[in-house]
Amino acid sequence: MRHYLGLLFIALIASLTSCRSDFDFETSTGGLEFSKDTVYLDTVFTNIGSSTYTLKVYNRSDKNIAIPSIRLNKGQSSKYRLMVDGIPGKEFSNIEMLAKDSMFVFIEVTSDVASANPTDFLYTDFIEFGTGVSQQKVELVTLIQDAYFLYPKKFSNGTTETLPIGDDEIYGFFLDETDPINGNELIWNNTKPYVVYGYAAVPSSKTLTVEAGARIHFHAESGLIVANNASLHVEGSASTTEALENEVIFEGDRLEPLYTDVPGQWGTIWLTQGSTNNSIKNLTLKNGTVGLLVTGNDGSTTPTVSIENTQIYNCSNVGILARTGNLTGKNVVINNCGESAFAGSFGGSYEFTHCTFANYWPIPNQTCIILDDYIETSTGDIIEELVKADFINCIVYGSSNLGISHKKKGSIFNFKYTNCLIKFIDTNNQFAGNEQYNFSSTRFENCIRASNSTQNKPDFLAPTENKLIIGSDSASKGTANNTFSTFNDILNNPRTGLTDMGAYNFVIFD
C-alpha cells in the first residue's frame, strides 16, 4: 500500500512541475490595450471628491506578463488616486496579468482650483504602464470648478455650529452679512457657484436675495431655512438658450452626469412659520427630498410665498409640501416625485394658475395633487380649515390612475378646479358617490377628465425626462379660460387667441 502511495505522490509532483511554465510571468514590453486613451473625470468642485471612474486594461497576448510599474506621472503628489488589483495607491510594482486576460483600474480625484491650469481650470495627469521605451500612457483629465463654500463654523473645543429647531438642533448656520471670506452671504450672485454644507438659515428680519443666473449646490442632508420674519427672494429671469443662463438653479453638489436626475441628493428649501414676503421667480429646483416646504404662514391676507415660472423635478418625497400654507403659483411645473407633486396639507390657502402638476415616478402609485385638512396625533385628529385651493387652467396628469387625492375631515374644505385637465381613472368605481370627486359638480368647472388610458391625454413631449411641453394633439390645447391667461407661458411666449391649459403653449413636434 505504501508503494502505491509513494508512486501517487511522485506522479503528483511531476504533474505540478510539468504545468509550472503555464504560470510563469514574463516582463511586459508594452502591447497593452486600454478601454480609453483618455479618462475624463467629470467636473468637480474644488476639494470635493469625484465619483469612481473605470479604466480596463487588456493583455491580448498568449503570454502571462508582469507589468513592472503602474504609476501616476506626478507620483505621490498627484491629486488622483488609483486602485489596482484591489489595492489603493499611486504607484504599483510587478502587477501580473494572465494571457488573454484583463483587469480594472479604478480612478478618483480630489483637487483644488489652485492645482489646475489657470487658463482652463483643467487638472491633468497620466497613468504610466511600464518603463523606458515600452512605457504606455493613459491621460487623466478633470475640470475643477471654484465656488463659494458655505458651512457651519468649527469652534476651538471641536464642536460645530448648529441651528435650534424646536427642542432639537441640526447641523447648520446663519448666513452672515460680513463673513470674512465670502463677504455678504445674504446676496447670492452669479460670479461662481455656491456649495452649501448643512442648513443655511436666513436670520429673522433679513432677506436672502438670489440673483439671476446663480447656481446653488447643496451637499447631502443640506438645504436652506428661512426663519420667522425673514424672507427669500429668488430673482431669476427668462433665458434665451437651453443653458438657462438667467435661471436660478438649486440642485445637489455632484456634477457628474450619473447624478443629473437622481432624487433625494439633498434636503429642502424650508419657509418656516412666520417667514414672510417670499418670492420665487424663474427657478429650477431638482433632486431634493422635498423641493419646497412651507409650514404655516405669516398671518396676513397676502401670500406667504408667490411662485412664478418655476420647475421642480425629481424629489424623493414631495415637490411642494405646504402645511397650513398660503401661496400662489403661476407657470409652476412639477414632475417625478416619490409621493406627490403638490401636497396642500393641514388646510391652508392656495391658488395656482396655468400650472402643470405631473408625476411620472417610476413606480406608478403616487399622485399629482393631495389636499387634506388634518393631522393625526396620539390624542386624535387636529383639523385646520382648507380656506381655498383653486386650480385654474392647470394640467394634473401622471403615470398612476388617480391624479388627485382629497382627504376631508373638517367642515370647511374649499377647493375648485377651473378649466383643468385631470387624470382620474376610477377603475373599480370606489369613489362613485364621493362628492370630493364629483366631476359634474361646480367644483370641477369646465374640466376635462381623462377617465381611461386612451382618452384626453396631455401629449407631453417626454414626461419621464421632465419635458412637459404639450403637442398639437393635446386635450389641453385651446381649452383654457382666456380670462386668466394674462401672462406669458413659462418659456416667455405670449398667450394669444385660444389659450392652452398648463404652463406651456403647445408646439408642433418634429
Side-chain angles (χ1 to χ4, degrees):
M1 187 66 171
R2 289 182 180 178
H3 173 71
Y4 289 113
L5 289 174
L7 290 175
L8 181 62
F9 179 72
I10 292 170
L12 178 61
I13 294 298
S15 67
L16 290 174
T17 303
S18 66
C19 294
R20 186 176 177 181
S21 62
D22 292 341
F23 295 94
D24 286 343
F25 291 86
E26 299 182 5
T27 300
S28 172
T29 57
L32 297 171
E33 295 183 19
F34 307 99
S35 58
K36 302 171 185 175
D37 295 326
T38 303
V39 179
Y40 295 96
L41 288 79
D42 293 292
T43 305
V44 295
F45 287 117
T46 186
N47 290 324
I48 295 180
S50 72
S51 295
T52 301
Y53 292 77
T54 302
L55 173 70
K56 198 168 186 180
V57 184
Y58 300 92
N59 173 20
R60 306 288 194 191
S61 73
D62 296 322
K63 299 178 181 180
N64 303 326
I65 62 172
I67 306 171
S69 173
I70 299 177
R71 68 184 300 274
L72 290 162
N73 176 263
K74 294 179 180 178
Q76 295 299 321
S77 65
S78 178
K79 306 297 183 180
Y80 290 99
R81 302 179 298 279
L82 306 178
M83 180 173 286
V84 177
D85 266 359
I87 300 172
K90 300 186 179 185
E91 301 182 43
F92 308 85
S93 300
N94 296 318
I95 302 301
E96 297 176 344
M97 291 186 69
L98 295 173
K100 306 294 185 182
D101 201 0
S102 63
M103 71 174 178
F104 289 101
V105 176
F106 299 104
I107 308 157
E108 297 177 346
V109 66
T110 303
S111 180
D112 54 27
V113 73
S115 301
N117 186 322
T119 60
D120 56 17
F121 301 104
L122 294 177
Y123 181 73
T124 62
D125 200 349
F126 294 92
I127 306 178
E128 299 174 345
F129 295 83
T131 57
V133 296
S134 63
Q135 186 180 86
Q136 297 174 267
K137 295 181 180 180
V138 173
E139 187 175 6
L140 306 177
V141 180
T142 191
L143 175 66
I144 309 299
Q145 189 166 1
D146 197 10
Y148 296 104
F149 291 91
L150 307 177
Y151 50 85
K153 295 182 178 67
K154 189 171 183 178
F155 302 118
S156 57
N157 62 1
T159 62
T160 56
E161 189 177 0
T162 58
L163 291 171
I165 304 294
D167 295 330
D168 298 321
E169 292 184 345
I170 63 171
Y171 182 67
F173 61 99
F174 282 105
L175 296 168
D176 190 346
E177 292 177 288
T178 57
D179 184 82
I181 297 175
N182 298 319
N184 187 353
E185 294 178 335
L186 289 174
I187 298 177
W188 292 356
N189 58 51
N190 61 9
T191 56
K192 56 185 178 180
Y194 289 77
V195 181
V196 180
Y197 290 85
Y199 275 85
V202 184
S204 179
S205 302
K206 300 293 183 179
T207 297
L208 169 63
T209 300
V210 187
E211 297 180 346
R215 301 294 187 258
I216 317 302
H217 300 265
F218 295 96
H219 194 62
E221 300 181 0
S222 298
L224 177 66
I225 297 175
V226 183
N228 179 44
N229 204 36
S231 302
L232 168 66
H233 290 175
V234 176
E235 298 181 347
S237 59
S239 299
T240 58
T241 72
E242 292 183 358
L244 300 177
E245 68 279 2
N246 298 321
E247 192 98 354
V248 172
I249 299 179
F250 288 174
E251 60 182 325
D253 65 347
R254 302 307 300 263
L255 304 183
E256 302 92 329
L258 177 65
Y259 292 89
T260 299
D261 295 313
V262 177
Q265 294 181 43
W266 56 283
T268 187
I269 307 302
W270 183 7
L271 307 181
T272 65
Q273 171 73 45
S275 69
T276 186
N277 190 30
N278 297 292
S279 174
I280 298 174
K281 296 180 180 179
N282 293 86
L283 169 69
T284 293
L285 185 157
K286 60 181 185 175
N287 305 335
T289 301
V290 172
L292 182 65
L293 174 60
V294 183
T295 54
N297 55 70
D298 60 6
S300 69
T301 57
T302 57
T304 300
V305 54
S306 62
I307 310 169
E308 298 180 19
N309 303 320
T310 291
Q311 304 169 74
I312 300 176
Y313 301 129
N314 311 327
C315 294
S316 57
N317 194 338
V318 180
I320 298 178
L321 173 58
R323 295 188 181 277
T324 325
N326 184 356
L327 60 89
T328 62
K330 296 179 179 180
N331 289 339
V332 175
V333 179
I334 310 176
N335 189 30
N336 285 333
C337 299
E339 183 178 350
S340 180
F342 169 72
S345 179
F346 197 35
S349 177
Y350 314 105
E351 182 178 300
F352 292 96
T353 309
H354 276 294
C355 297
T356 299
F357 299 98
N359 204 348
Y360 285 82
W361 189 259
I363 303 172
N365 59 356
Q366 287 71 30
T367 191
C368 301
I369 292 176
I370 293 175
L371 299 175
D372 67 56
D373 61 353
Y374 66 94
I375 57 173
E376 296 177 345
T377 71
S378 58
T379 57
D381 295 333
I382 301 176
I383 296 173
E384 188 72 34
E385 295 177 352
L386 181 62
V387 177
K388 180 175 72 171
D390 288 350
F391 301 89
I392 305 165
N393 294 344
C394 295
I395 297 175
V396 185
Y397 204 99
S399 54
S400 63
N401 284 338
L402 304 178
I404 58 176
S405 173
H406 300 160
K407 301 175 182 179
K408 172 183 178 293
K409 291 193 176 181
S411 58
I412 297 178
F413 196 82
N414 296 323
F415 69 87
K416 186 173 183 179
Y417 297 86
T418 303
N419 290 76
C420 293
L421 170 62
I422 303 172
K423 184 177 182 181
F424 195 83
I425 304 174
D426 187 8
T427 305
N428 300 318
N429 293 320
Q430 59 179 317
F431 298 102
N434 188 328
E435 185 61 26
Q436 302 298 316
Y437 308 101
N438 180 2
F439 283 81
S440 299
S441 72
T442 56
R443 289 182 164 186
F444 296 90
E445 182 179 343
N446 297 324
C447 288
I448 300 173
R449 176 185 174 187
S451 56
N452 63 56
S453 59
T454 60
Q455 179 190 54
N456 296 328
K457 290 186 175 182
D459 192 24
F460 291 135
L461 176 60
T464 59
E465 301 173 21
N466 295 321
K467 298 177 181 179
L468 297 171
I469 196 166
I470 60 173
S472 56
D473 293 331
S474 176
S476 303
K477 176 187 171 185
T479 51
N481 186 329
N482 291 17
T483 304
F484 300 95
S485 305
T486 56
F487 49 92
N488 290 354
D489 81 346
I490 193 170
L491 298 179
N492 204 32
N493 298 316
R495 291 186 167 99
T496 58
L498 296 176
T499 57
D500 309 325
M501 296 174 180
Y504 297 92
N505 291 346
F506 89 91
V507 299
I508 299 175
F509 299 148
D510 296 332

